[in-house]
Amino acid sequence: MHLQRVIEGIAARMASEKDRGAVRPGDDDSRLGAFGIAVQTADGALLEAGDHAERFPIQSISKVFALTIALEHLGEDLWRRVGREPSGDPYNSIIDLERHQGIPRNPFINPGALVVADVLLAHEEAREGVPEPVRARIAQLLGITEPAQWPPCEAEGLDSPETGHVNRALAHLTRSYGNLEHEVEQVMAVYLHQCAVRLDCGELARAGRYLTLERTGTPTDSAQDVRLARRINALMLTCGQYDGSGEFAYRVGLPAKSGVSGAILAIAPNHASIAVWSPGLDEAGNSALGTRALACLAEETDWSVFGASGLPDERL
């Protein structure tokens, strides 16, 4: 079975699903039933189906790209400021941050992402406006040579009172423990702008292709790149789906990072980078249809970080 036919079948299946999750309070629910999928294979093919051309803010998926840049800057020293363990608490828990004296449990919860944003600020050249290293990196990954106005970025709508006050409280508490070097509003600006980058499924899948490296397959793939991809994938697997990470690993078996816009970036090492989008969320805050679609894809392709089941490759 060809992969294009597989993802088209999954898109058709998602269109008939009755339980589509729910958008966050106050968010637009007019596209609740929308679903898009794109698969960027390791050998360069891009396959798409459903509402793959609709753009969405990548939100917390931006934390993957931010973490990549921070690790390139600091290496293992980054882990002095942020942990690598699942939190077991909500992604914006102030109690958890206080319990660990300003050291966030991992870089994918909000306080961890704020620490990473602080690291990026320290390595940005002084310039007017808000530094946008994540936006520049995504443009680079997509081969955009002049990224100043691309990808689209609409940060204004993300700083709502409900989330903005909590994130600032997390940042102030982190700074009180000496784990933020810059002013809270500087850090918040970088964080909001990276969350506001808008991509479609194909662009997101293409941007995540560097994480498919599991071994050096070409002269341009260095051992350092492979190690970096493995470490980020490990964190995506254990921490990338909020409090649903364990269930997601059980059902899908692939490293992934979700965002509350309904997007998920998943990685099948050595095989493909996968992006799905559907705005209805499940109880853990992950795309309901997106999670089901990735479970279907993993089953159809036999892609899993836990080993193949022995199904014949001719299926694809």
Side-chain angles (χ1 to χ4, degrees):
M1 183 182 294
H2 293 293
L3 186 54
Q4 180 66 46
R5 204 178 311 158
V6 169
I7 66 171
E8 288 174 356
I10 290 172
R13 203 178 315 173
M14 294 305 108
S16 65
E17 287 277 344
K18 292 184 172 54
D19 181 7
R20 301 169 182 269
V23 299
R24 295 183 303 167
D27 283 359
D28 180 16
D29 64 356
S30 63
R31 296 294 289 145
L32 183 61
F35 171 80
I37 182 170
V39 178
Q40 173 71 66
T41 65
D43 60 8
L46 179 64
L47 310 172
E48 300 168 309
D51 301 302
H52 61 85
E54 291 201 34
R55 281 213 170 105
F56 43 81
I58 63 173
Q59 293 273 13
S60 285
I61 298 174
S62 67
K63 297 170 184 176
V64 173
F65 304 103
L67 175 61
T68 300
I69 301 169
L71 282 171
E72 290 172 350
H73 287 321
L74 289 187
E76 293 296 301
D77 287 344
L78 176 66
W79 307 124
R80 297 178 182 177
R81 298 183 58 183
V82 60
R84 301 192 296 267
E85 299 292 339
S87 68
D89 288 294
Y91 62 89
N92 58 357
S93 172
I94 290 178
I95 295 174
D96 184 65
L97 184 62
E98 184 176 25
R99 184 187 302 131
H100 295 97
Q101 299 184 316
I103 305 295
R105 292 283 279 173
N106 66 70
F108 293 153
I109 57 175
N110 285 15
L114 292 170
V115 170
V116 170
D118 187 64
V119 170
L120 301 190
L121 264 173
H123 288 269
E124 283 288 299
E125 297 178 359
R127 66 186 70 183
E128 293 183 6
V130 178
E132 297 189 78
V134 169
R135 184 178 179 184
R137 175 57 61 93
I138 290 173
Q140 178 188 42
L141 289 166
L142 295 177
I144 307 298
T145 56
E146 297 181 4
Q149 300 302 320
W150 200 97
C153 177
E154 299 175 10
E156 290 78 9
L158 297 183
D159 196 18
S160 68
E162 294 81 6
T163 59
H165 290 320
V166 174
N167 284 334
R168 284 176 174 80
L170 291 166
H172 280 292
L173 183 59
T174 304
R175 186 169 165 82
S176 76
Y177 283 106
N179 201 14
L180 283 189
E181 298 175 357
H182 298 83
E183 296 296 330
V184 165
E185 289 306 316
Q186 289 180 286
V187 174
M188 283 292 301
V190 172
Y191 176 66
L192 288 171
H193 276 254
Q194 73 182 43
C195 289
V197 170
R198 300 178 71 87
L199 300 175
D200 63 30
C201 288
E203 292 162 345
L204 180 56
R206 287 166 54 208
R209 184 183 175 190
Y210 73 102
L211 293 171
T212 64
L213 293 175
E214 183 63 20
R215 57 178 177 265
T216 53
T218 71
T220 59
D221 298 340
S222 69
Q224 183 177 356
D225 292 335
V226 170
R227 283 195 297 269
L228 181 63
R230 286 178 178 175
R231 287 167 178 163
I232 294 171
N233 283 329
L235 287 163
M236 290 171 71
L237 183 69
T238 57
C239 308
Q241 302 296 113
Y242 307 117
D243 287 343
S245 296
E247 178 68 15
F248 188 92
Y250 182 85
R251 291 177 60 189
V252 179
L254 297 175
K257 183 70 193 84
S258 64
V260 293
S261 61
I264 303 175
L265 172 65
I267 304 298
N270 281 334
H271 295 293
S273 168
I274 309 127
V276 293
W277 170 75
S278 183
L281 307 179
D282 61 20
E283 293 181 356
N286 304 312
S287 173
L289 292 185
T291 300
R292 281 177 227 150
L294 287 168
C296 291
L297 182 65
E299 182 175 349
E300 291 278 354
T301 59
D302 204 28
W303 289 340
S304 173
V305 296
F306 301 112
S309 67
L311 294 174
D313 292 340
E314 298 85 68
R315 296 181 69 188
L316 296 179

